Amino acid sequence: MISQEKDPGTPATPDAPVGTSRAHPVTLREVAEAAGVSTATVSLVINKKKNARIADETRQRVKDAIQHLGYRPNAMAKTLVSGTSKFIGLVADGVATTPFAGQIIHGAQDEAWKHGYALLIANTEGNQDLENDAINMMLEYKVRGILYSTWFHRTTDIPETLREADFVLVNCFSPETPARAVVPNEAQGGQSATDILIRGGHRRIAFINATTPAPARDGRLEGYKSALEAAGIPFDPTLVLEAFPDQEGGYGATKELLKHDITAVYCYNDRMAMGLYDGLRENGLSIPDDIAVVGFDNQEVIAAHLRPPLSTVSLPHYELGAAGVRLLLGLDQAPADSALKIECPAVERASVAVPSKA
């Protein structure tokens, strides 16, 4: 800390210890006094005004004083001048509390930081009043833009307050209003899941779909059909069953499933596959020797720890968050007439036997 008796015009020395026990934040005026310049000069140096006529020696004196005193620029004041801040908002209905969708936050945070932004996060749990308050607060802070995210892939209505900001929809989309959005490629994921089984030599492949209407339900069925068609396998509608998308749903579908001549099953999600594991074993069947099984989601607390570990397709939550930031900053572009679709990578494990070599 600079002594009170020191000549205010004396430059601060670069190797002087930074003050750490001040009763108040260091002001612009204190930096100016320590460097022997005007506050206007300090402001020009801080804001890196390259065209300002300031001698290199003077610039260095100001920088030394800033370092010596531990001065931090007032971010809110800079925001008022520039009209924007180094914050990006993220408003979610439950992403932070779900077992794997929190990766959306992780991806958005990493990508924002990479480009010099920090993330302001509001987890609303679907409370509309809280959602409006969060968006209004972010607008007051003049965020660069807002990511509006849902914990599962679905359609959404765009809040009126959100329209006042530059925004991108993440893991959701609006069919009524053109808006930039980034979502998982459900059809590609369904095709990749089915392809795992086809590569395993299977041709009688059942699909247990969800009963709940959702983009995932339609897309994953579309992908299943596309994979069969590409492999020259006729589509048999009797091999498409429906069940509630949880463990009990998969377990309950077993009886109907075993009425059909099949060697493999693709399940709508990993929880359904977990229930199917139990149902098949109760019927004396072995996985993958009797029936191969593939899931969807790559929910680590399930897929990697089943016995045998479950082949599945991963929902790209991390990349959804990162891609949302890139869209917001104009680094990526979404198609003009649809959402940007992020690939769902296959994760192959031991629930599908490796084909034996001839």
Side-chain angles (χ1 to χ4, degrees):
M1 184 172 181
I2 297 178
S3 168
Q4 296 298 318
E5 291 76 27
K6 190 171 184 179
D7 177 0
T10 304
T13 55
D15 56 350
V18 175
T20 57
S21 58
R22 302 182 64 88
H24 62 83
V26 178
T27 66
L28 199 71
R29 183 175 297 279
E30 287 173 315
V31 174
E33 289 176 352
V37 299
S38 68
T39 55
T41 299
V42 175
S43 180
L44 290 170
V45 173
I46 289 171
N47 291 294
K48 300 179 181 178
K49 300 294 186 181
K50 296 181 179 180
N51 296 329
R53 295 181 179 179
I54 302 173
D56 290 344
E57 185 270 338
T58 303
R59 285 184 186 272
Q60 190 59 49
R61 284 212 318 272
V62 172
K63 292 177 181 179
D64 290 344
I66 288 170
Q67 181 181 5
H68 185 100
L69 294 172
Y71 173 76
R72 293 181 182 273
N74 186 323
M76 288 307 296
K78 292 179 71 175
T79 293
L80 290 173
V81 172
S82 65
T84 188
S85 72
K86 299 302 285 184
F87 290 115
I88 290 173
L90 189 151
V91 177
D93 65 356
V95 167
T97 54
T98 54
F100 54 93
Q103 284 292 310
I104 289 176
I105 293 177
H106 190 185
Q109 187 169 266
D110 285 353
E111 192 69 23
W113 190 253
K114 187 188 301 183
H115 300 290
Y117 290 86
L119 208 61
L120 293 179
I121 303 166
N123 191 54
T124 68
E125 297 295 340
N127 184 310
Q128 190 169 358
D129 290 337
L130 179 57
E131 177 179 275
N132 287 331
D133 288 345
I135 294 172
N136 282 326
M137 180 273 291
M138 291 175 182
L139 292 173
E140 289 173 9
Y141 273 83
K142 298 186 181 294
V143 293
R144 168 62 181 77
I146 297 175
L147 305 182
Y148 185 82
S149 182
T150 56
W151 77 268
F152 71 94
H153 181 191
R154 63 177 176 85
T155 61
T156 189
D157 296 322
I158 300 173
E160 286 301 318
T161 48
L162 188 64
R163 298 175 190 273
E164 298 178 38
D166 188 14
F167 68 91
V168 171
L169 305 177
V170 178
N171 209 30
C172 55
F173 63 98
S174 172
E176 305 298 330
T177 306
R180 288 175 299 171
V182 54
V183 299
N185 192 334
E186 305 282 5
Q188 169 271 314
Q191 183 163 355
S192 293
T194 311
D195 281 340
I196 294 173
L197 295 167
I198 293 172
R199 287 198 301 272
H202 299 279
R203 295 183 65 83
R204 294 289 293 172
I205 302 169
F207 174 40
I208 310 178
N209 203 358
T211 53
T212 310
R217 180 176 181 265
D218 298 335
R220 295 175 193 186
L221 175 59
E222 178 188 339
Y224 166 75
K225 291 179 177 179
S226 296
L228 295 179
E229 182 179 3
I233 301 172
F235 170 65
D236 182 349
T238 66
L239 297 186
V240 178
L241 284 64
E242 291 189 350
F244 194 78
D246 64 4
Q247 185 174 1
E248 290 303 314
Y251 176 81
T254 309
K255 183 177 180 180
E256 179 63 28
L257 188 72
L258 294 181
K259 294 178 181 178
H260 300 276
D261 177 24
I262 59 167
T263 63
V265 185
Y266 153 41
C267 296
Y268 172 85
N269 65 20
D270 295 344
R271 289 176 296 160
M272 191 180 279
M274 180 166 58
L276 180 62
Y277 266 49
D278 294 336
L280 292 176
R281 283 186 177 128
E282 282 189 7
N283 283 274
L285 297 171
S286 171
I287 302 167
D289 295 334
D290 295 315
I291 293 184
V293 180
V294 167
F296 202 115
D297 288 351
N298 194 32
Q299 193 167 340
E300 283 293 331
V301 294
I302 296 174
H305 302 289
L306 290 175
R307 292 293 178 267
L310 178 66
S311 292
T312 185
V313 170
S314 181
L315 278 173
H317 287 108
Y318 180 95
E319 183 56 29
L320 288 173
V325 170
R326 292 195 297 271
L327 279 180
L328 189 68
L329 298 179
L331 303 174
D332 287 349
Q333 298 296 321
D337 56 350
S338 65
L340 177 64
K341 295 180 179 179
I342 303 299
E343 182 173 333
C344 302
V347 182
E348 300 193 41
R349 299 190 178 100
S351 64
V352 179
V354 177
S356 58
K357 294 182 179 179

